[in-house]
Amino acid sequence: MDLILPSSGLIFWQLIAFLALLFILIKFAWKPMLAALEERETSIDNALKAAEQARNEMASLKAENEKLLQDARLERDTILRKAQEASAKMIEEAKSEAGKQGALMIENAKAVIETEKKAALTEVKNQVALLTLEVTEKLLRKNLSEDKAQKELVDEFIKDLKLN
Amino acid sequence: MTRKFLFLSLLLSALLLSFSSAGFAAGSQSEEGGEDPTGFIMHHVKDSHEWHFFNIGHTHVTLPLPVITYASDRGLEFYMSSDFQNHETHQFGEENAHNGIFIDSHEHLGRVDGGAILDFSITKNVAMMFIVIALVLYMALSAAGHYKRNGAVAPKGVASLVEPIVIFVRDEIAEKSIGPRYKKFVPYLLTLFFFIWIGNLLGLLPGAANLTGNIAVTFTLATLTFILVNINGNKDYWKHVFATPGVPLPLLPIIVVVEFIGLFTKPFALMVRLFVAITAGHIVILAFIALVFIFESYAIGVVSTLMVTFINMIELLVATIQAYVFTLFTAMYIGGAVAEHAHDDHH
């Protein structure tokens, strides 16, 4: 067989076998394989994009969280401040209220004491008048004869009473 | 780089061949049972009706191959190559005719009555081609099976070997050379690449046939590329050939002839490049081996072995480069045929 002259038999077999190989490989190997590769590349691409997106979302979420936290802190501070102010105010109010209440109670107590004192004095006066009457009665019964002495005595009593 | 290597290897082989034949000329005739080194090399490089592995003493270790013949008056006939051989020397020749058919010493089929006969034998190269195809089929199908079984997942096993090549051919060869409409051509380019690559690699094995270094094989592949390129040629492509834009009218006949010839020189270059690169590599290796038998010297043996190992390493590279180059040029020709040119506006 010649080196540089193609032989028809080999061309024949080569043509048939190569075309068969081409057909089988295209149908059963290259097409499914290229499709799978493309699918994989797309899915890798998508996964990378999704990861990137997730990262971005994560970052924005983090920033948002940070902001929320900051807001919450500010809010807490405000609330605390307000609460302190409120409690201080309440204490102040309670104090002044208590002071007023105390003063009022003292006032009332003084008034009651005054009334009681007056009532007691009136009572004492009444008692004294009663006693005086009894004493007078007794004296009158005993010393009706001695008119002069009686008169003196009565005057004296009256004097005393007036002094009272 | 390939071209440089090609040139070097051709030069080297030519040098070695002339050197070895010259050196051998004196010793060959005098030596009993000695082989002519050119014959020895050519025997290994060329196709044959039997698969000859090696000799042990005078025993030929061969694989007889089917001989299929067709003649219009005789129809299809099937024989074995051993039917046409001298059983002692394993020589083909007219004297060993069988059933009116013989294979001459140049391995051409002939009829004793002188009639025409066609040779569709499963020759050494055809058998080799079946092995290559089986291997390519195994690789590609098991790689594809991996994706079929597991879906679009990471490669494993044979798929790990095949996938990078597939991606390389698709992205680096097809997409870059053909352009946006590359997808349609990727399967052909892949088949081409794997067939040539595996053919080149298996051809390097001792005792293997020189399949991709056979002109009939490269001729067929180049013809398929030629057909594929031209049936996909668009308006621009044909316009470029038959009404080359920007050429003055008086020159047009010459240019059209040149362009028309160019249609054929492109696949012709493909055919010759692969054939020469692979055959030359085989010749260089065989020439170095032949040196041992010519000089019958241990020193030469050591040097030859070193050189053969070195050339084999290069051949591994060449096997891949040539598969790449054939596929790349095919892709570039397709790219030229399907490209949408924008040059119509400047003339």
Side-chain angles (χ1 to χ4, degrees), chain A residues 1-4 6 9-15 17-18 21-22 25-26 28-30 33 36-38 40-41, chain B residues 46 49 106-108 119-122 126 129 133 140 152-153 155 163 170 183 187 191 214-215 220-221 224:
Chain A
M1 294 201 171
D2 301 300
L3 184 65
I4 53 164
L10 187 51
I11 292 176
F12 168 79
W13 283 111
Q14 166 71 11
L15 199 61
F18 188 79
L21 176 75
L22 187 64
L25 286 187
I26 286 177
F28 297 109
W30 302 141
M33 213 168 149
L37 288 181
E38 207 159 309
R40 202 181 67 201
E41 276 155 15
Chain B
K46 289 200 273 190
H49 281 90
H106 295 292
E107 299 245 0
H108 289 295
D119 186 356
F120 291 111
S121 303
I122 307 296
V126 178
M129 180 175 68
I133 284 176
V153 295
E163 192 196 291
R170 188 192 63 182
K183 274 193 182 151
T191 313
N214 187 293
I215 195 122
T220 314
L221 295 177
L224 287 175

Side-chain angles (χ1 to χ4, degrees), chain B residues 101-171:
Chain B
I101 297 170
F102 64 86
I103 298 173
D104 71 15
S105 53
H106 295 292
E107 299 245 0
H108 289 295
L109 213 61
R111 274 167 74 171
V112 176
D113 57 14
I117 191 159
L118 289 173
D119 186 356
F120 291 111
S121 303
I122 307 296
T123 59
K124 185 177 166 187
N125 272 339
V126 178
M128 181 74 183
M129 180 175 68
F130 289 154
I131 295 171
V132 169
I133 284 176
L135 187 58
V136 172
L137 274 177
Y138 164 73
M139 284 169 70
L141 290 179
S142 55
H146 171 75
Y147 298 101
K148 218 171 272 175
R149 278 192 308 277
N150 308 313
V153 295
K156 214 178 171 187
V158 183
S160 308
L161 169 69
V162 176
E163 192 196 291
I165 301 170
V166 171
I167 291 176
F168 177 77
V169 170
R170 188 192 63 182
D171 294 349

Side-chain angles (χ1 to χ4, degrees), chain A residues 13 16 28 31 40-41 45-46 49 53 61 70 74 76 80 91 98 102 105-106 115 120 123 129 142 144 149 154:
Chain A
W13 283 111
I16 288 182
F28 297 109
K31 281 210 170 142
R40 202 181 67 201
E41 276 155 15
D45 262 10
N46 288 345
K49 269 182 207 149
Q53 209 177 336
L61 217 66
Q70 193 62 30
L74 284 175
R76 186 198 62 189
L80 271 177
I91 290 169
M105 275 166 85
I106 290 167
T115 324
E123 184 76 22
K142 222 184 241 181
L144 268 173
V154 169

Side-chain angles (χ1 to χ4, degrees), chain B:
Chain B
M1 191 258 152
T2 323
R3 209 165 279 185
K4 209 184 239 175
F5 172 74
L6 214 98
F7 177 72
L8 264 177
S9 60
L10 267 176
L11 192 75
L12 204 62
S13 60
L15 266 174
L16 277 164
L17 273 176
S18 56
F19 172 64
S20 55
S21 356
F24 191 72
S28 149
Q29 275 85 11
S30 60
E31 183 131 331
E32 194 251 329
E35 270 185 289
D36 156 39
T38 314
F40 155 77
I41 290 170
M42 285 306 148
H43 173 74
H44 278 85
V45 167
K46 289 200 273 190
D47 201 2
S48 169
H49 281 90
E50 69 162 0
W51 201 323
H52 180 269
F53 296 106
F54 49 84
N55 291 352
I56 302 172
H58 285 283
T59 318
H60 294 254
V61 179
T62 63
L63 181 70
L65 295 169
V67 174
I68 302 165
T69 66
Y70 178 81
S72 49
D73 53 334
R74 297 176 59 135
L76 270 177
E77 286 170 274
F78 299 87
Y79 303 98
M80 288 306 280
S81 63
S82 48
D83 294 340
F84 304 99
Q85 280 174 326
N86 179 316
H87 293 288
E88 282 299 309
T89 61
H90 277 245
Q91 291 288 319
F92 292 111
E94 271 186 70
E95 65 279 9
N96 298 317
H98 174 77
N99 215 356
I101 297 170
F102 64 86
I103 298 173
D104 71 15
S105 53
H106 295 292
E107 299 245 0
H108 289 295
L109 213 61
R111 274 167 74 171
V112 176
D113 57 14
I117 191 159
L118 289 173
D119 186 356
F120 291 111
S121 303
I122 307 296
T123 59
K124 185 177 166 187
N125 272 339
V126 178
M128 181 74 183
M129 180 175 68
F130 289 154
I131 295 171
V132 169
I133 284 176
L135 187 58
V136 172
L137 274 177
Y138 164 73
M139 284 169 70
L141 290 179
S142 55
H146 171 75
Y147 298 101
K148 218 171 272 175
R149 278 192 308 277
N150 308 313
V153 295
K156 214 178 171 187
V158 183
S160 308
L161 169 69
V162 176
E163 192 196 291
I165 301 170
V166 171
I167 291 176
F168 177 77
V169 170
R170 188 192 63 182
D171 294 349
E172 301 299 320
I173 297 180
E175 193 174 2
K176 282 192 181 154
S177 311
I178 298 177
R181 288 153 70 192
Y182 72 98
K183 274 193 182 151
K184 194 171 124 191
F185 303 101
V186 174
Y188 175 72
L189 295 175
L190 282 171
T191 313
L192 207 55
F193 183 89
F194 274 94
F195 180 81
I196 297 172
W197 186 49
I198 298 297
N200 288 348
L201 288 180
L202 290 192
L204 288 175
L205 293 175
N210 179 24
L211 176 67
T212 42
N214 187 293
I215 195 122
V217 173
T218 61
F219 169 79
T220 314
L221 295 177
T223 306
L224 287 175
T225 290
F226 173 74
I227 293 168
L228 188 71
V229 167
N230 287 293
I231 60 173
N232 281 294
N234 59 14
K235 218 169 68 191
D236 280 342
Y237 173 71
W238 291 115
K239 199 173 166 187
H240 213 97
V241 174
F242 291 112
T244 319
V247 174
L249 200 62
L251 278 180
L252 203 57
I254 303 167
I255 296 295
V256 167
V257 169
V258 169
E259 286 283 342
F260 187 73
I261 294 171
L263 292 183
F264 299 94
T265 53
K266 285 172 188 170
F268 186 79
L270 279 183
M271 171 181 88
V272 172
R273 186 184 296 114
L274 181 60
F275 159 70
V276 166
I278 302 305
T279 302
H282 283 231
I283 290 175
V284 174
I285 292 174
L286 291 165
F288 273 116
I289 293 171
L291 282 182
V292 184
F293 301 104
I294 294 164
F295 286 103
E296 293 183 332
S297 139
Y298 288 116
I300 296 290
V302 171
V303 173
S304 276
T305 311
L306 286 175
M307 285 308 285
V308 165
T309 312
F310 170 66
I311 299 290
N312 252 320
M313 300 283 188
I314 291 176
E315 280 301 300
L316 281 176
L317 196 65
V318 170
T320 315
I321 289 171
Q322 284 303 325
Y324 167 66
V325 165
F326 197 105
T327 316
L328 179 71
F329 276 97
T330 296
M332 281 163 67
Y333 297 155
I334 294 172
V338 301
E340 305 283 350
H341 290 292
H343 58 57
D344 292 73
D345 41 16
H346 61 74
H347 55 80

